[in-house]
Amino acid sequence: SLAEALERYRGKAHIHLELKSFEQELPAKVAQELKNAGYVTAGGEHALNPPGVTISSFLPQQLHRSRRLLAGVTHGWLLENITLVDIALCVQMGLSSVPGTGGIYPRASAVTAEEVQWAKTAGLLVRTWGVGSVADLKRAFDSGASGTTVDWPGRAKKALGL
């Protein structure tokens, strides 16, 4: 369960939660679990930072709901690639209103340095996802993105010479 995972990794790892359901109550349920586990305060700010928590989704409406409940928690919109329209929507959703807590998360194999610069100029964090190869990892790294999720951290670190 979510409660068990939060307990197991409390103070050990930064937790990334993806809201995958259209269920309108899901953001409130997740917010309550995070509060119960001590990851966020009653006011919705990070209680453990680091390591903390990030909430992401491909569903802008879920991010909007979650952001209202957890304003101080990092949120990111997962999408295929960044457009200026997407950046404007992120700003409209309030993802750039609290520095360092809102982002736009494109697929690693599609991200460009120009897109990353657009997003950063708008006050958004850029993190990539979907890293399936070393080439994807290097593309994400070279784009100037702030980070990426990868299923093989040891190999990734070696590939980047870190």
Side-chain angles (χ1 to χ4, degrees), residues 11-67:
K12 298 176 186 170
H14 187 98
I15 304 292
H16 286 261
L17 299 175
E18 183 181 342
L19 304 177
K20 292 187 174 197
S21 166
F22 286 98
E23 178 189 350
Q24 289 188 16
E25 297 81 20
L26 180 62
K29 290 176 183 177
V30 169
Q32 190 58 55
E33 290 287 345
L34 290 170
K35 289 173 187 175
N36 291 346
Y39 277 78
V40 295
T41 67
E45 292 80 29
H46 277 287
L48 300 172
N49 194 15
V53 64
T54 295
I55 297 173
S56 62
S57 184
F58 284 98
L59 308 170
Q61 63 274 35
Q62 292 295 58
L63 288 175
H64 181 69
R65 289 180 187 113
S66 181
R67 185 73 171 184

Side-chain angles (χ1 to χ4, degrees), residues 108-122:
S109 62
V111 70
T112 69
E114 181 180 36
E115 294 166 352
V116 170
Q117 191 54 52
W118 294 341
K120 286 183 175 182
T121 298

Side-chain angles (χ1 to χ4, degrees), residues 36-105:
N36 291 346
Y39 277 78
V40 295
T41 67
E45 292 80 29
H46 277 287
L48 300 172
N49 194 15
V53 64
T54 295
I55 297 173
S56 62
S57 184
F58 284 98
L59 308 170
Q61 63 274 35
Q62 292 295 58
L63 288 175
H64 181 69
R65 289 180 187 113
S66 181
R67 185 73 171 184
R68 284 195 328 250
L69 298 166
L70 301 168
V73 171
T74 302
H75 284 75
W77 185 19
L78 297 162
L79 38 63
E80 286 296 318
N81 60 335
I82 299 172
T83 69
L84 293 173
V85 171
D86 297 327
I87 290 170
L89 184 55
C90 285
V91 170
Q92 183 181 356
M93 283 191 292
L95 291 178
S96 65
S97 62
V98 180
T101 64
I104 193 165
Y105 300 171

